[in-house]
Amino acid sequence: MRIDLACAADIAVLSDLLTELFDQEAEFCPDSTAQQRGLAAIIGDPTIGEILVAREDGRPVGMVSLLYTVSTAFGGRVAWLEDMVVTANRRGSGIGQGLLKAAIAHAKSGGCRRITLLTDAENAAAQDFYRREGFNASPMRPYRLSLE
């Protein structure tokens, strides 16, 4: 397995991975057009974020997005970890752990002082995974307002 940054040529396959992810999430529904537009925006502007891709034999089998902002509480750059997904037939093989470790190292080397993520409240397996990797539940509660 190799982990590197996504490029424009990866967009179609990464959109397929996002479809796998959104099919299992309570809040989102797959939308290939929106997914490809979002992927292109991130890949096209690394100040917005970066996508790390796990590849086997050159083909993407997993991905994770880091989106960047500035925290006044930390006085510097922080990251949101989003869209962590490994294709169904490769789950449990260590790819997710490798992607997460690479994302943490990448964020740290990019000057990020914190990584925040969200996971479905019902997804106990994901919550256990993130706890094992050193993440803690936040006392903060997310709220959303759709502007569409």
Side-chain angles (χ1 to χ4, degrees):
M1 176 185 63
R2 186 179 98 235
I3 297 174
D4 59 14
L5 290 174
C7 65
D10 296 321
I11 290 174
V13 176
L14 297 182
S15 180
D16 292 343
L17 282 170
L18 289 176
T19 294
E20 282 190 52
L21 177 65
F22 296 154
D23 273 341
Q24 65 187 2
E25 288 189 344
E27 188 172 357
F28 302 110
C29 294
D31 177 341
S32 181
T33 301
Q35 291 159 201
Q36 289 188 27
R37 188 172 56 244
L39 290 163
I42 296 166
I43 291 168
D45 186 352
T47 64
I48 292 173
E50 295 171 295
I51 301 169
L52 290 116
V53 180
R55 301 176 195 275
E56 288 183 339
D57 300 321
R59 178 147 177 83
V61 293
M63 64 175 279
V64 62
S65 301
L66 290 169
L67 304 177
Y68 304 122
T69 190
V70 173
S71 166
T72 55
F74 281 88
R77 191 177 201 206
V78 294
W80 277 91
L81 187 139
E82 294 216 352
D83 300 332
M84 175 87 169
V85 61
V86 173
T87 192
N89 66 344
R90 298 300 294 130
R91 291 182 191 146
S93 65
I95 292 170
Q97 186 178 38
L99 272 170
L100 186 59
K101 288 185 183 310
I104 292 167
H106 192 78
K108 195 172 189 177
S109 72
C112 291
R113 308 228 10 237
R114 176 187 70 205
I115 296 176
T116 301
L117 65 84
L118 300 172
T119 187
D120 280 336
E122 298 82 25
N123 193 340
Q127 293 165 32
D128 290 344
F129 170 74
Y130 290 120
R131 272 192 216 90
R132 281 193 311 271
E133 297 302 320
F135 285 78
N136 298 303
S138 170
M140 303 293 282
R141 182 170 282 239
Y143 285 80
R144 297 190 196 273
L145 173 64
S146 177
L147 300 176
E148 294 187 355

